[in-house]
Amino acid sequence: MQQSVDVGGEIGGYRVESFIGRGGMGEVYRAEHPETGKKAAVKLLSPELARTEGFRQRFVRESRYVGLMNHPNIVNVYESGEDDGLLYMAMEFIEGTDLKHLLAKEGPLQALRAISILTQVAHALDAAHSTGLLHRDVKPGNIMVGEGDSLQQPEHVCLTDFGLSKRTSSDSLALTAAGEFVGTIDYTAPEQVLGKNCDHRVDVYALGCVLFECLTGHPPFQKERDVEILYAH
């Protein structure tokens, strides 16, 4: 699939330096603001999804929600907008890797290291939950692990991708298509599987699943079919 922005091009005033990766909702690039020198991870909503009003609203909502939180374990959003028909979000660039790639490279983590990493994710979730915000997609791929600043905390962790987030008090609009599954099946709480009302405990459940994977090297339920994993939850 062709990238939306070429290296050397600009989006939202940021000059693209390299392509980082592609997720379920779009692409992410490493970029730099030419005037300030500020490094950023610029996330673009894919053109296909941008044509769907629900996904456009979800993307805008993510930037608004995350922008309201100022927490060391939640990735900062610098700005967002639309440039030449592309919806973009400029976020804090974190030198490091996500927990998914870390586990793929190193395998199961030592218990103390796993607890150190996930305690920081828990702090991020506490901050989000205190505002009434649910993440709803806590998984290794949404946990960035970078270099820490002390012997007590050798790794700094940030929770990213609030694209499926929901504010329990105000979001009455369902921003997923009717019948669309919300979340990632390996980390999904039973009440999400059953389509019941959810609260902050869905994120706590997902964090428990991530802890299991950190210690064992694989998610809690290893089944051949997706439906079997959902039944297992």
Side-chain angles (χ1 to χ4, degrees), residues 23 37 59 96 104 108 111 116 131-132 140 152 155 164 171 174 184 192 203 211 229:
F59 190 85
S116 175
T131 70
Q152 292 74 26
E155 293 172 303
L164 294 180
D171 289 335
T184 304
Q192 286 178 284
D203 290 338
L211 174 59
I229 296 175

Side-chain angles (χ1 to χ4, degrees), residues 11-117:
I11 181 74
Y14 289 84
R15 183 175 296 114
V16 174
E17 295 182 335
S18 61
F19 176 69
I20 296 177
R22 184 174 291 109
M25 293 183 66
E27 302 164 347
V28 182
Y29 298 83
R30 175 175 174 150
E32 180 182 272
H33 197 286
E35 296 181 3
T36 66
K38 180 185 291 185
K39 298 290 184 181
V42 177
K43 179 179 179 180
L44 302 183
L45 183 65
S46 71
E48 293 79 10
L49 296 181
R51 289 193 287 268
T52 304
E53 186 61 26
F55 281 102
R56 289 179 65 89
Q57 291 185 45
R58 185 189 298 176
F59 190 85
V60 172
R61 189 173 73 181
E62 176 186 1
S63 64
R64 183 174 74 248
Y65 284 173
V66 178
L68 291 174
M69 292 185 285
N70 183 17
H71 191 276
N73 299 120
I74 296 177
V75 64
N76 289 324
V77 173
Y78 298 141
E79 57 186 285
S80 61
E82 187 168 356
D83 187 345
D84 196 24
L86 291 174
L87 281 172
Y88 74 91
M89 185 190 312
M91 303 174 290
E92 171 187 10
F93 181 80
I94 301 172
E95 290 282 0
T97 187
D98 62 52
L99 184 57
K100 178 180 179 180
H101 285 91
L102 181 66
L103 291 171
K105 179 181 179 180
E106 300 187 16
L109 306 181
Q110 293 293 322
L112 288 178
R113 186 183 183 193
I115 292 299
S116 175
I117 289 173

